[in-house]
């Protein structure tokens, strides 16, 4: 017998460690460079207060986001680019190889780390927290798996009981996923961020939106198909609870200064809007294709994804 949480942790790690990296999903940076440019533009506004800015990306994937962020700074924010150091934290040797190849042209600006580094700057991620394993809970019981069948057992972990109580979820009659690793990562980020910002972009919900997902948010993706019941060999994810990030961030000195949908975040980006306007009047086949990808980003991802920005002030 194994808890769903342990099964998911193992399945996700095996999935990303596989040597035959397959594309079962597209992330926003893989759809179009405008996503990375919009994020880079936003981060530039935060980085101006740092003389030697450092960026740390959690979960670099194919390196697409790092490539676009670095390209944006190289081309349009030369002052930031000159002093910038870009760290990537990832546990997949396969993907690190892909990232190294993709980011070759940025030479010694990019570093790969096996654990978080102390820094002043910005820690950020896109579709990283949704990979972290969750405990699945319903009516005060936790989901375990035994030979393909489900077992529901009384809660044993005091941390789970504490989270359910603090978030006000104890008496909900629906499935709730609790990501203790998300809390642990927040603590780690805060411990390493001497001063700066933490940005999480991911699909997710707030406590108020929890009722939209009565059976939970767990899902698997394989070859671009969605499977409500995930199994091994798939990209397995659970939506991120942004209220949990806000609530537990406070314990570690991470104050949430903004939480909005990805659509709103992109529509407030001047670089994104300019590109959208340019593509809208172009008849070039490549531009027409890109416009449709930007629309996908705004329409189908835009409402489901959120962007949270947390600030860590320097400790006295
Ligand atoms: C869905 S991909 C997102 C990639 C990229 N951020 C993007 O937007 O295209 C998730 C990434 O996080 C990494 N990852 C997932 N769980 C991790 C963990 N617990 N520790 C370190 N890296 C992890 C995976 O190897 C992969 O690179």
């Amino acid at each position: 017998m194994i808890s769903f949480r342990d099964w998911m942790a193992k399945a996700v790690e095996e999935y990303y460690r596989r040597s035959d990296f397959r594309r079962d999903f597209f992330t926003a940076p893989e759809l179009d460079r405008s996503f990375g440019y919009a994020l880079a533009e936003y981060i530039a506004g935060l980085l101006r207060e740092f003389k030697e800015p450092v960026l740390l990306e959690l979960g670099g994937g194919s390196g697409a986001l790092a490539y676009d962020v670095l390209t944006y700074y190289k081309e349009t924010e030369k002052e930031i680019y000159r002093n910038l150091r870009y760290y990537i934290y990832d546990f997949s040797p396969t993907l690190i190889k892909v990232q190294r190849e993709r980011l070759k042209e940025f030479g010694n600006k990019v570093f790969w780390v096996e654990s978080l580094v102390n820094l002043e700057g910005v820690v950020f991620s896109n579709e990283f927290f949704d990979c972290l394993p969750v405990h699945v809970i319903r009516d005060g019981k936790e989901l375990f798996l035994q030979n393909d069948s489900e077992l529901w057992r009384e809660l044993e972990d005091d941390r789970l009981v504490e989270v359910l109580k603090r978030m006000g979820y104890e008496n909900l009659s629906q499935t709730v996923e609790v990501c203790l690793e998300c809390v642990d990562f927040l603590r780690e980020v805060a411990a390493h961020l001497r001063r700066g910002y933490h940005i999480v972009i991911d699909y997710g919900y707030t406590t108020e939106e929890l009722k939209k997902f009565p059976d939970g948010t767990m899902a698997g993706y394989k070859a671009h198909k969605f499977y409500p019941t995930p199994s091994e060999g798939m990209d397995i994810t659970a939506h991120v609870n942004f209220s949990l990030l806000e609530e537990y961030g406070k314990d570690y000195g991470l104050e949430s200064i903004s939480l909005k949908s990805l659509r709103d975040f992109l529509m407030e980006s001047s670089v994104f809007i300019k590109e959208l306007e340019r593509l809208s009047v172009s008849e070039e086949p490549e531009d027409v294709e890109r416009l449709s990808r930007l629309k996908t980003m705004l329409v189908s991802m835009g409402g489901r994804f959120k962007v949270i920005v947390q600030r860590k002030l320097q400790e006295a």
Side-chain angles (χ1 to χ4, degrees), residues 137-154:
I137 295 162
R138 190 170 189 114
D139 299 327
K141 298 204 162 106
E142 181 180 353
L143 176 61
F144 282 72
L145 305 171
Q146 189 170 38
N147 305 329
D148 285 344
S149 52
E150 295 185 356
L151 290 177
W152 292 87
R153 296 172 48 128
E154 295 297 329

Side-chain angles (χ1 to χ4, degrees), residues 9 12-13 15-17 21 25-31 35 57-66 88-96 99 113-114 124-133 181 185 201-203 235 237 305:
V12 170
E13 193 161 344
Y15 177 83
Y16 281 109
R17 280 185 189 277
F21 175 63
F25 55 89
F26 279 133
T27 59
E30 286 160 345
L31 269 184
F35 174 86
E57 182 184 355
L58 305 177
S62 63
L65 182 55
I88 299 181
Y89 168 77
D90 203 303
F91 69 2
S92 163
T94 316
L95 285 172
I96 290 173
Q99 293 157 17
V113 288
E114 286 179 5
F124 67 98
S125 60
N126 180 57
E127 293 204 39
F128 171 78
F129 277 77
D130 68 279
C131 300
L132 300 178
E181 259 82 356
F185 254 101
I201 307 176
D202 223 311
Y203 30 110
D235 174 41
T237 75
F305 275 62

